[in-house]
Amino acid sequence: MLISGMQLRHSLTPRYFAGVFNKRKPTKKDLDHYDVVIIGCNLGGVLSRQLDKVSHGKYKTMVVLDQNINQITPIRQIYEQQKTAKTDFLLNAKLSLNMYTAHSDQVGSQTILPEENAIILRNGRRIGYGQLVVAMGQQVNYDAIKGFEEAWQDFDSPVFTNLDHPSWRSSNHKYTRWHYNFNHGEAYFCIPQFPFSGEVESYNFLLSQRIWEWQTANGRQSPIKRLTIIQPNERFVQYNDAGDQFFKEEIKRRNINVEYGLKLVEVNKQQNTATFEDVKTGSRQTRPFNHLYAVAPTKPHDQLVKAGLTTSKGLLDVNIKTLQHNKYKNIFGLGDVNDVPTTNCFWAGFHQLHVVRNNIERNIAGKSLNAEYDGYSKVPILLGQNTLTFLCHKYNNENAWHNLYFSNGGFLAALRYYNWCKNFKKAFIDIYLEKNWGPPYYKIKKSFKLPEGESNDHGFLAKLLPGKKESH
């Protein structure tokens, strides 16, 4: 497992020394029942920290995790540029847990029994819950592309994706080769069918085009080359017209080729060929390639489907405002796993986090749910080697005020890029370590207006600074 000294210091030491300087003891890992069980340890881990803080340790919480690394996807593109270190992109999953929260020691969930308020882990252990939070993201499914994982894992194969292979050592820097090792011929950027994790967040083709344009101008790349986007969907941005139109116009302006209605189904590592399937007719065609990048396709979580918790898309069936399950009222969703009409990304999940934290507390207390998520999503779009803009929108195709600002490049877009590279990798660490509450206010906890007639019972400060009515 790749972790930095800082991660080791903050993630391992506290739990071992919990209780040495205070009377509170960590929640035991072997309980049969917990007040709150959270499946997933990325945003789910951050949620466990914040719940513990706002409740002053009132709830016994268990976080179920099945991996030891979290990949911080918002900074993937600058990571591929080598503008941030591997230890900033690959974080120890336990970093997001505080010293008092129980966890499953990397034994994941296998079965959810919503009628019995229980889950079963992969080792057969049964755990009961009062409230369940599903924060497991979307399930990556590279098996949907025959031969892909073998090629992706191979350091010398020109096949890339938006994740690091779990078998790679810290010295493996294949992830940089998509941008910097293309010399000539056919390059393909392949997008999977909706829904998938990494929509917009993993679209690095505008950055690639600028890098390759510069390399050609400086004699480092042959002018005999072509970048083609394989797009099985009709849109680049599913729930925002302005964002979708921006990508289509920018692609046309930069002379990037797009082929709609095709999806990648097979990669042959030995021959460097890719097979594409027409999503309407099922007909297939095989082509040679010199460079290929595929955003990870996903599939529904089998345990969610079997438990009857999903929509027809295979995503969690939640109320799009309260994020409470539409059938089981003690189950909430957090992050990409939710079927909500917005662009799924890390920051969208973080704005959901405040809603879930607030509504779980009220649900436990038997109160109405007063926090609502408005679909706010914010995704970085790298325009070139040193310029950046953001896609920012809410539900119902509503653009946020700063949506696509400075999308034509220039000095202000460069300042945004500089700030993203310099400050935001540290911002993610600070959020995991509970140094702040995260967006939108960071140093101030986000609160929500109480229903009419209900008093605030959280003391003098809460009365002095009542919660501002907000929906995301």
Side-chain angles (χ1 to χ4, degrees), residues 130-356:
Q131 308 288 315
L132 176 67
V133 180
V134 180
M136 56 211 306
Q138 295 186 41
Q139 186 173 5
V140 171
N141 183 29
Y142 285 115
D143 290 340
I145 308 172
K146 183 179 178 181
F148 184 87
E149 184 159 0
E150 180 187 359
W152 165 37
Q153 185 178 1
D154 187 340
F155 182 79
D156 295 316
S157 176
V159 174
F160 308 86
T161 188
N162 56 318
L163 296 171
D164 275 15
H165 196 278
S167 70
W168 288 353
R169 295 179 178 273
S170 59
S171 58
N172 189 319
H173 294 276
K174 179 179 178 177
Y175 57 90
T176 65
R177 290 186 160 203
W178 163 252
H179 291 312
Y180 301 111
N181 274 46
F182 179 51
N183 297 314
H184 70 282
E186 296 285 349
Y188 289 97
F189 185 94
C190 305
I191 298 172
Q193 289 178 285
F194 292 131
F196 64 91
S197 183
E199 178 186 349
V200 179
E201 205 166 53
S202 60
Y203 292 174
N204 64 17
F205 45 78
L206 297 181
L207 171 60
S208 299
Q209 186 272 336
R210 284 288 187 248
I211 291 174
W212 297 344
E213 181 181 63
W214 181 90
Q215 289 180 335
T216 300
N218 287 272
R220 298 181 61 183
Q221 190 178 97
S222 168
I224 304 173
K225 65 181 185 302
R226 181 172 62 169
L227 171 60
T228 298
I229 299 172
I230 300 297
Q231 172 61 288
N233 314 294
E234 295 181 356
R235 299 171 62 92
F236 284 87
V237 184
Q238 197 172 7
Y239 295 110
N240 183 255
D241 291 344
D244 184 60
Q245 190 64 26
F246 166 76
F247 275 109
K248 289 177 177 176
E249 290 178 354
E250 194 68 11
I251 286 167
K252 183 178 180 180
R253 188 174 70 85
R254 299 189 188 199
N255 294 317
I256 299 174
N257 186 42
V258 183
E259 294 190 41
Y260 290 95
L262 296 177
K263 67 177 181 179
L264 177 66
V265 293
E266 185 175 350
V267 170
N268 186 310
K269 186 184 78 169
Q270 285 72 33
Q271 299 180 11
N272 277 1
T273 59
T275 301
F276 304 104
E277 180 179 285
D278 189 298
V279 296
K280 293 182 178 179
T281 66
S283 61
R284 295 189 173 191
Q285 51 185 286
T286 299
R287 305 178 190 175
F289 66 84
N290 300 88
H291 231 47
L292 186 143
Y293 193 108
V295 178
T298 59
K299 65 179 180 180
H301 288 278
D302 188 55
Q303 60 180 304
L304 296 182
V305 175
K306 289 181 177 178
L309 298 177
T310 59
T311 64
S312 59
K313 297 178 183 178
L315 301 174
L316 194 67
D317 183 15
V318 296
N319 181 293
I320 66 171
K321 293 184 177 181
T322 65
L323 305 178
Q324 182 184 50
H325 194 270
N326 283 319
K327 180 178 180 181
Y328 299 101
K329 302 308 177 184
N330 63 340
I331 297 179
F332 292 83
L334 175 63
D336 286 4
V337 73
N338 287 335
D339 190 356
V340 292
T342 193
T343 303
N344 283 318
C345 63
F346 185 90
W347 289 126
F350 217 102
H351 284 263
Q352 294 174 28
L353 187 151
H354 302 298
V355 173
V356 173

